Amino acid sequence: NTTVHCAILYLDKIFRSHDIPRSQWKLFATSCISIASKSEEAEEHCPPIPDLLHLTKLSNAGINPIDFRDGEFEVLRHLGWRIRAVPALHIIGYFLSKGSAFIDDTWQGRELIEKIPRYIKKYAEFFCNLTLQEYAFQQYLPSHLASAILLASRVALQIEPRWRPELVRLTGYSEDDIMGVFQHVW
């Protein structure tokens, strides 16, 4: 999932600063996926180029592995060879690994059940995927957006308190700091 998030960040960055002919969009999108998979995935999980060309039907359009390599090069050139991408999903993963539910939290007025951390993760991934679909969310720092997504996940599950001092220390944001982004997410 992080591969897709990084690929979309690459593509958005390119489209924001370059006028790419529509005829090249599919090649650029597929190149972004390939580049993201090479930086995000273990090598054995990266799709071989011929498989990727077949899957995306680029091979039907006459694109061969050499043309695809050239497409990847163009993408990298447009990115200035800077492929470090930090989507909110990466930061959410960090937050969740440190703990997002606490022993004295309540869920719908009751004690937490064992599955709550998994539910928070599912909601957080949902909100990350949702925010990826709207370009306006790129105005926020990934850490700011991830914090608002964590708050939205806790609110969706009716976890009280909504935001805690431990989460302020973890994220660096108070609830007031992220309220505007939270409202955009929500």
Side-chain angles (χ1 to χ4, degrees):
N1 205 3
T2 60
T3 300
V4 172
H5 284 247
C6 288
I8 290 172
L9 289 177
Y10 297 158
L11 197 58
D12 283 345
K13 188 175 188 178
I14 291 168
F15 282 174
R16 197 171 43 239
S17 57
H18 298 86
D19 188 25
I20 306 300
R22 186 161 172 71
S23 62
Q24 296 293 303
W25 286 7
K26 194 174 196 177
L27 175 61
F28 269 62
T30 307
S31 295
C32 286
I33 291 169
S34 177
I35 292 165
S37 72
K38 290 173 184 174
S39 67
E40 290 289 310
E41 307 286 339
E43 186 176 351
E44 62 270 11
H45 297 296
C46 294
I49 300 305
D51 293 353
L52 199 53
L53 293 176
H54 178 72
L55 179 68
T56 59
K57 297 185 173 60
L58 281 170
S59 57
N60 295 351
I63 303 292
N64 62 45
I66 302 297
D67 296 332
F68 187 75
R69 183 201 60 201
D70 294 344
E72 285 182 318
F73 178 76
E74 272 303 295
V75 164
L76 289 166
R77 193 177 63 72
H78 284 306
L79 292 171
W81 291 85
R82 290 184 297 275
I83 61 168
R84 191 182 104 221
V86 184
L89 189 61
H90 279 175
I91 296 168
I92 280 291
Y94 172 75
F95 291 164
L96 295 176
S97 76
K98 296 298 180 184
S100 56
F102 303 88
I103 198 84
D104 56 342
D105 281 344
T106 61
W107 172 58
Q108 299 175 347
R110 301 183 301 263
E111 283 187 24
L112 295 184
I113 61 172
E114 193 176 305
K115 295 179 180 179
I116 289 297
R118 281 185 285 178
Y119 294 161
I120 293 172
K121 182 179 186 221
K122 286 191 179 291
Y123 271 97
E125 289 170 348
F126 166 77
F127 285 121
C128 281
N129 289 334
L130 188 70
T131 60
L132 192 63
Q133 296 174 39
E134 187 181 324
Y135 185 74
F137 284 103
Q138 287 196 15
Q139 70 183 302
Y140 306 116
L141 289 172
S143 60
H144 204 186
L145 181 57
S147 299
I149 286 170
L150 181 56
L151 175 59
S153 301
R154 288 177 59 91
V155 168
L157 287 164
Q158 300 174 10
I159 296 174
E160 291 291 336
R162 293 164 28 134
W163 203 244
R164 305 176 51 100
E166 297 91 338
L167 294 173
V168 173
R169 282 192 298 279
L170 174 64
T171 65
Y173 296 106
S174 70
E175 186 172 351
D176 287 342
D177 293 337
I178 58 175
M179 190 49 59
V181 184
F182 164 78
Q183 290 172 338
H184 192 178
V185 170
W186 195 251

